[in-house]
Amino acid sequence: MIHSLFLINSSSDIFLEKHWKSVISRSVCDYFFEVQEKAGEAENVPPVIHAGHHYLINIYREKIFFVSVIQSEVPPLFVIEFLHHVAETFQDYFGECSESAIKDNVVIVYELLEEMLDNGFPLATESNILKELIKPPNILRSVVNSITGSCNVGETLPTGQLSTIPWRRAGVKYTNNEAYFDVVEEIDAILDKTGSVVFAEIQGVIDACVNLTGMPDLTLSFMNPRLLDDVSFHPCVRFKRWESERVLSFIPPDGNFRLLSYHVSAQNLVAIPIYVKQNISFFETGSSGRLDITVGPKQTMGKTVEAVFVTINMPKVVLSANLTATQGNYTYNPVTKTLVWDIGKLSQQKLPNLKGSLTLQCGAPKPEESPSLNIDLKIQQLAISGLKVNRLDMYGEKYKPFKGVKYVSKAGKFQCMAITIWLYIFTNKENSHLKC
Amino acid sequence: MSANSLSYNEQGGAESAVEVGLESTPTSSGAGAGAGAGFGLFSTDYKKNEDLREMLESTKESLKLEAMKRIVGLIARGKNASELFPAVVKNVASKNIELKKLVYVYLVRYAEEQQDLALLSISTFQRALKDPNQLIRASALRVLSSIRVPIIVPIMMLAIKEAATDLSPYVRKTAAHAIQKLYSLDADQKEQLIEVIEKLLKDKSTLVAGSVVMAFEEVCPDRIDLIHKNYRKLCNLLVDVEEWGQVVIISMLTRYARTQFISPWKEDGIFDENSEQAFYESDEEKLGTPQSKPYIMDPDHRLLLRNTKPLLQSRNTAVVMSVAQLYWHLAPKQEVGVITKSLVRLLRSHREVQYIVLQNIATMSIQQKGIFEPFMKSFYVRSTDPTHIKTLKLEILTNLANEANISTILREFQTYVKSQDKAFAAATIQAIGRCATNITDVTDTCLNGLVLLLSNRDETVVAESVVVIKKLLQTQPTQHSEIIKHMAKLFDNITVPMARASILWLIGEYCERVPKIAPDVLRKMAKTFTVEEDIVKLQTVNLAAKLYLTNSKQTKLLTQYILNLGKYDQSYDIRDRTRFIRQLIVPNEKSGALSKYARRILLASKPAPMLESTFKDRDRFQLGTLSHTINSKATGYLELSDWPTAAPDSSVRNVEVMEPVKEWVPSMGKTKPLKSDDKFYSDSGEEEGAGEEGTGSSSEDSSSSSSSSSSNEESDSESEDKNSKHSEETDSSQSDKSSGHSDKKKADKKKRLQLKKKAKKAAPKESDSEDEGRKGKAARTGGSSNSSQASGSSETSTGSDSDSSSEPDTDSDSGTDQKKNPAKPKVKGEQKPKKEISLLDLDDFSPAPVASNKSSILSPSLLSDLEGLSLSSTPPAIQVSSPVFVPMSSHELLHRMTGKGLAAQYHFPRQPCIYGNKMVSVQLTLTNSSDHTLEDISIGEKTSSGQNIHRFSSIERLEPGASVTVSMGIDFNDSTQAANFQLCTKEDQFSVSIQPVVGELFLPVTMTEQDFRKEQGKLQGMNETSATITMAPENTSNQALSKKMVSVANMGVVPTGEDSLYRFAAKSVSSGDLVLVSVDLTDSSSGRLTINTEKTVIGSMLLRDLKTALAQP
């Protein structure tokens, strides 16, 4: 399946290669470089490239291209999913999946790759098992290692593969038994110029951090499970139980994991927590424009909207911005042409406003399209869909664990796998020239 | 081998040369890094490695480890570290696990290049293959199979075979991986590997399933027949298989299903929930469903669909995609809709995932727009999407467009047109063009919109619009002279060559519709001709020619002027075209016949270009595959076959052997266990039964006649004997009723009969017809419950006690037993554990709403995990048998002279030793030939040779002249090394030794010829020794040969179908390895003797012994 893997940094250096079958010359990457050059931006590189006798399937993460070489038919998603899994494992092990982290830990990386694939087919990919086979680095251990010359490979061989539950290692012990669940939701919305909702949906995840001794069997139930429209589970969740009773019953993996991701569809009216009034216009003459944005809370269910950011990708001709903000600060980056307005908390009384003029390049035609706004925000202690965890029960172990549930509707870009409200606000006032 | 040693010497030579060089260099110490700088690139490199070599050769573990880490770093960066091979390979047996692992990494990387040296490490792995720790065994197998050295193919083969039967599923999984490696190394091993695959396919562990199917797909994807027996098991295990395995299994099952089931896509099919219901019932009698009627889905087909559906909820996008493609290719059209929601969910994932998923949706949306339409908004483009994602979304939106939603889509498109990403804006205009051609209602609107776009400031947008308008006008050229006029007006402002050329072409093509404008445009073009781009010039010439033909009065001069300009153009293309056009349109003497046709050539009506999706033909590839993504056939792509017109025999999937594990399965998916229990035990059930009985006895005559008639009807498929059994049964149950109580004796008898029947049903075909017969009978006999079968089938139809499909009879029978005889303890005992499990299941694990228990969509409960770990136990029927021949000859152990009167003789009785199953039993005959009584005869405490000896209990007294026979056991460890021990009397000790003959180290086994062949197939290569033999004439007859053979070696005779081929089988006492001997007589006096055994030493010794024995008369 997966023949070889090359890691390539943004300056087209191959800084790591690993082969699971016979060695493939790194010149195969020339095809990749060719395509990369043509694509311009890294994001635009197509994930599947036909390269002579091989096929290159790549992902781009944290400024690194993971390029895998394939020689014969394989479902491309299989490879892509696996590569992302590799990247996540690195993240898990080193705290970040950067070029320097990989270079610093090249031996561990190599050992990991060796365990994860056998002959190009995934062998051990569960992080719990990997961590038993290969200990993640930490400062203390590396100091100890350098003094005593001991190693970062598990001294005792794990039994995980034999355990009846492949995602949990046997013999877990904690002094404080805790289970935390974070319900994190993000709203995906497109608003049009008038502020009405073109499209809105909620994507949620429940991330868990479970530090429990032994083999606990947990049951998590919701007050309103019918809200969840489309769910995908960690393999530990018993699907049948969900189907019949709408409760999550599972023997959890040890540590952090994503229990569930779900989707609340647009049909259930999605509450948009803020509204935006905005007016960005460019004058026909004088190479300037005007900008006026006001943001206010709406349907917040009594919670405070925090960490509000407004990001605007300005047209190329905008040279600078001279604005005043009644709250927060703004920055304009003339190179990337992005205007970022960091508002902070939204208060009900005084609505933050950003107003001022934009300077355009002299002589250039006025931009025909007004830019759209991207808005990030965060609301603590609220799941915007209204999802509520009812109770968490534990069977199979005697002790009483400490349980906690946290609701966040925090913001971030969807590509970054956090939560965002994407408000695309169309500013085009001109009548549609396509009459529909 | 000599070549190997030679090259090894060379290697050694090079090494020593290096060492010499090293000595001559004064700065050879590892610390001299600074000094190395002066030597240039090569020498520093060389020095650095030298330094590593020293570290590797040091005695300190930490130094070695450090060196290995640095070497791995070199490998990772793609640097060559191959010259360190000799130094590294020495550490392969290191105790330090990490060091060992790193050495493994190194070995796998470089063994191919340094094959001879790599061989040095093989023995280490072979040893590790026997390690008690599963992980060590597995990793040894992994490395052994990864080093790609062709010479060790037989060793790999052996190791794989052994690992395939390992107790640890993890090791078996590794074995499955190794199969592919060996296959890619040496494709000749295919046949043997297929055998291993076949064995592993039977494996019940979820850990193994994915890997072995992967091996199957790589080695023998065409051997679909291997899947039959495992199909249901794979379907049932699927949910619990690890994610990666699921993908592989699902894609294999997709291919399988396309060859085995008939198409569910027929028009008249019934696919509502009722058909599911019908299926559940048909579960009970399983194969009784008639295939000819309107379409009814094969239960196995349904099983696959049902068991894959939960996987749509997987977190792994590849799994979701593979289930989606399975539904797409296998499910009835009405059911495909379930996949959309999940596919749309995947769009939230990474950019790369989106790309693949969108591609697949694009293909699907061409064929079935309906299923994606509700999710249209999910395909709206975001400004942050990369271009290829945007274009794909656009593609899908275009595919989804219909009369109802076109206005929404166009409104969306309208914003895209203004996108800053101009390539995307251009693509949007193309998409608008496609919508306009597909949906006639909006053609005009689109056209107007596009015309408006012509005034756009962006050139690419304008150009693209012109091109699309041109295409649109071509499709309906009649009414659009206005647009052409408009475009002519815009012509001056448009600068993009492609757009200008398009307008010129349009005017030329429809010049008759714009008779006034066309010459004017030509006039303008004549002015600017010299500064135009080539493509515009060509179209100008084209326009001139067309106008000349239609309106020569006005344009003759203009045309000539343009043709003259063209004649002297810099581009030869234009000069050529001008020359050609001139010859074509201007009549002169030389132009000949062609100019007559000029009008027809230039003004022929052109076919309109088709505006269609680039994904139109993608569905020829299986969705979700690499081939689909790149839109061309990738290496190793396996075509999805068309549905067969007639369903192949579905009974091939029946599994005859009931594994004990199967018993668990029903409990997993209990429908309503309590209810059914009620039915069994409650009064109402009894009453019902009684009522039935009442009706039965009231019409006793008719019922008996009807039952006999029904059994007559069955008799076409069933034997006469069966028939009589039926009537017997009927009688007994009738008498039951008449007496009113269950007579225990009779019930027993009945049970015996039923058991007999059950045994009969093991043959699948029979059960098929029988089931059908029973069904019919049940229907006809109606309420009459005279035979147990009727009541059994009435239960079946209520579906209260549904059981694993493969044993419907067993259950209904036992149910009847209970009903008739509820107090019977044994039956109850059988029933109880099942119930307990189901209760446990209900409380703690999955309460299972899903109706059919056959499906057993197992939640990852402990039970199923346990099930997954259990082993399939279908070893070939090899059993130790009694010896064919016991030689009476005995051997001297102790002569009476040396034994001071005690004489001892030993003899091999060829019986399995009672003291230990690894021991060979030996009989000692002790005789006292002295004149005094010997006391306390025993075997001394210490033995010299380390064999495990079971001593006989000491003999207290042995009178003069008397003799006694005792037996003892010796574990010879499968070698002919003599067992040395001491025979003690009260006074003396005598050292004696028993030297076994190789033939006595076996136990005879019986096996079928088939098993023999199979086993022999596994023991080839190194494990086979053979020799040509010459036979004494007396030995050539069948009996004589056998006798000779069994006298030499304690072997069992294997029945054979061939005349001149004799087979004998045994297993070694200590290790239990098979020893297979075959003698193939070529003619009367010579033949070929072949011995297959893993114990090669024993094999060769046996060969020698047999050879001599057969040569002697």
Side-chain angles (χ1 to χ4, degrees), chain A residues 169-185:
Chain A
R169 63 195 167 96
V172 185
K173 274 211 176 85
Y174 289 100
T175 43
N176 295 325
N177 290 297
E178 302 164 319
Y180 295 106
F181 296 89
D182 290 359
V183 180
V184 183
E185 291 192 340

Side-chain angles (χ1 to χ4, degrees), chain B residues 225-427:
Chain B
D225 54 299
L226 296 182
I227 303 299
H228 292 321
K229 289 268 176 278
N230 303 296
Y231 173 82
R232 289 180 190 151
K233 185 198 72 191
L234 283 175
C235 284
N236 287 327
L237 284 183
L238 196 55
V239 183
D240 293 328
V241 174
E242 34 91 45
E243 297 162 322
W244 312 106
Q246 285 173 347
V247 178
V248 178
I249 295 176
I250 290 172
S251 100
M252 186 275 290
L253 288 179
T254 311
R255 261 184 337 107
Y256 177 86
R258 278 295 274 263
T259 61
Q260 299 299 319
F261 305 128
I262 53 169
S263 168
W265 298 340
K266 288 189 186 127
E267 298 300 313
D268 54 344
I270 317 158
F271 304 108
D272 51 4
E273 283 307 300
N274 295 341
S275 78
E276 280 227 9
Q277 211 57 46
F279 159 68
Y280 291 143
E281 278 168 33
S282 72
D283 238 16
E284 305 299 317
E285 51 258 337
K286 206 167 63 185
L287 297 163
T289 42
Q291 292 288 348
S292 58
K293 286 283 154 77
Y295 173 78
I296 288 174
M297 188 180 277
D298 189 300
D300 287 324
H301 191 171
R302 174 55 67 192
L303 175 75
L304 177 60
L305 291 177
R306 201 174 39 208
N307 280 5
T308 46
K309 195 173 167 190
L311 296 178
L312 283 171
Q313 247 67 49
S314 170
R315 63 169 174 175
N316 188 314
T317 59
V319 175
V320 178
M321 187 66 230
S322 64
V323 178
Q325 67 84 23
L326 180 130
Y327 262 76
W328 180 256
H329 290 293
L330 297 180
K333 295 287 184 210
Q334 294 86 331
E335 289 174 33
V336 175
V338 299
I339 63 174
T340 39
K341 206 187 265 180
S342 306
L343 282 181
V344 171
R345 186 183 70 233
L346 299 190
L347 297 181
R348 299 277 308 166
S349 189
H350 301 281
R351 176 181 72 92
E352 297 83 6
V353 175
Q354 285 183 47
Y355 175 75
I356 306 290
V357 173
L358 284 170
Q359 273 194 327
N360 286 294
I361 293 180
T363 306
M364 292 183 193
S365 62
I366 289 177
Q367 282 188 23
Q368 287 197 33
K369 34 179 89 172
I371 58 171
F372 288 104
E373 220 187 299
F375 298 93
M376 196 175 75
K377 285 183 175 170
S378 306
F379 303 111
Y380 280 7
V381 172
R382 281 146 210 272
S383 61
T384 44
D385 286 334
T387 310
H388 54 257
I389 301 279
K390 284 182 185 167
T391 1
L392 281 170
K393 284 185 171 173
L394 195 65
E395 174 73 37
I396 294 168
L397 284 176
T398 317
N399 289 341
L400 293 182
N402 59 23
E403 278 83 358
N405 60 20
I406 184 71
S407 58
T408 333
I409 288 179
L410 283 181
R411 187 165 156 257
E412 189 66 22
F413 280 180
Q414 171 188 331
T415 47
Y416 301 166
V417 168
K418 281 172 261 163
S419 161
Q420 292 179 13
D421 184 345
K422 289 307 164 199
F424 172 59

Side-chain angles (χ1 to χ4, degrees), chain B residues 904-966:
Chain B
Q905 289 195 312
Y906 68 95
H907 154 72
F908 293 100
R910 293 196 170 177
Q911 294 293 338
C913 184
I914 50 168
Y915 305 116
N917 51 9
K918 288 190 171 180
M919 290 183 176
V920 178
S921 61
V922 181
Q923 268 184 6
L924 291 187
T925 311
L926 303 167
T927 315
N928 187 355
S929 46
S930 69
D931 46 2
H932 57 278
T933 309
L934 291 169
E935 291 181 335
D936 289 340
I937 305 171
S938 66
I939 290 175
E941 282 305 310
K942 57 175 197 280
T943 56
S944 56
S945 52
Q947 279 118 334
N948 193 3
I949 295 177
H950 188 277
R951 302 174 182 82
F952 55 87
S953 47
S954 75
I955 300 158
E956 280 175 22
R957 292 174 65 86
L958 193 63
E959 297 298 334
S963 73
V964 65
T965 304
V966 292

Side-chain angles (χ1 to χ4, degrees), chain B residues 76-314:
Chain B
R77 272 179 282 133
K79 298 270 187 329
N80 186 11
S82 58
E83 74 264 26
L84 289 166
F85 203 97
V88 173
V89 83
K90 281 178 201 157
N91 293 307
V92 73
S94 165
K95 289 274 178 295
N96 183 317
I97 296 173
E98 181 169 31
L99 182 60
K100 199 174 192 159
K101 272 192 178 176
L102 296 177
V103 172
Y104 283 5
V105 168
Y106 184 92
L107 262 180
V108 171
R109 171 68 179 75
Y110 286 112
E112 209 173 2
E113 296 170 25
Q114 310 244 358
Q115 306 212 346
D116 307 325
L117 282 176
L119 289 178
L120 296 179
S121 62
I122 302 296
S123 59
T124 318
F125 301 130
Q126 279 179 307
R127 216 173 306 131
L129 282 172
K130 310 270 184 212
D131 197 280
N133 185 318
Q134 51 163 343
L135 285 165
I136 292 180
R137 287 202 302 276
S139 80
L141 181 60
R142 276 178 66 190
V143 182
L144 184 68
S145 54
S146 297
I147 56 178
R148 294 181 296 278
V149 179
I151 230 170
I152 60 156
V153 164
I155 299 179
M156 269 167 79
M157 193 69 220
L158 194 64
I160 290 174
K161 279 179 179 162
E162 213 153 89
T165 54
D166 200 287
L167 277 177
S168 152
Y170 184 63
V171 176
R172 297 202 299 276
K173 184 187 177 75
T174 325
H177 288 183
I179 290 173
Q180 306 164 49
K181 299 182 205 169
L182 179 54
Y183 180 66
S184 62
L185 190 64
D186 182 4
D188 293 343
Q189 306 290 322
K190 189 170 175 180
E191 287 311 312
Q192 290 195 58
L193 288 175
I194 291 177
E195 276 171 29
V196 183
I197 291 176
E198 199 175 352
K199 195 191 290 168
L200 282 173
L201 274 173
K202 293 195 184 108
D203 203 304
K204 284 235 180 321
S205 166
T206 51
L207 208 56
V208 184
S211 301
V212 67
V213 171
M214 189 66 227
F216 169 83
E217 291 280 77
E218 296 234 333
V219 178
C220 51
D222 46 334
R223 288 291 303 276
I224 214 89
D225 54 299
L226 296 182
I227 303 299
H228 292 321
K229 289 268 176 278
N230 303 296
Y231 173 82
R232 289 180 190 151
K233 185 198 72 191
L234 283 175
C235 284
N236 287 327
L237 284 183
L238 196 55
V239 183
D240 293 328
V241 174
E242 34 91 45
E243 297 162 322
W244 312 106
Q246 285 173 347
V247 178
V248 178
I249 295 176
I250 290 172
S251 100
M252 186 275 290
L253 288 179
T254 311
R255 261 184 337 107
Y256 177 86
R258 278 295 274 263
T259 61
Q260 299 299 319
F261 305 128
I262 53 169
S263 168
W265 298 340
K266 288 189 186 127
E267 298 300 313
D268 54 344
I270 317 158
F271 304 108
D272 51 4
E273 283 307 300
N274 295 341
S275 78
E276 280 227 9
Q277 211 57 46
F279 159 68
Y280 291 143
E281 278 168 33
S282 72
D283 238 16
E284 305 299 317
E285 51 258 337
K286 206 167 63 185
L287 297 163
T289 42
Q291 292 288 348
S292 58
K293 286 283 154 77
Y295 173 78
I296 288 174
M297 188 180 277
D298 189 300
D300 287 324
H301 191 171
R302 174 55 67 192
L303 175 75
L304 177 60
L305 291 177
R306 201 174 39 208
N307 280 5
T308 46
K309 195 173 167 190
L311 296 178
L312 283 171
Q313 247 67 49
S314 170

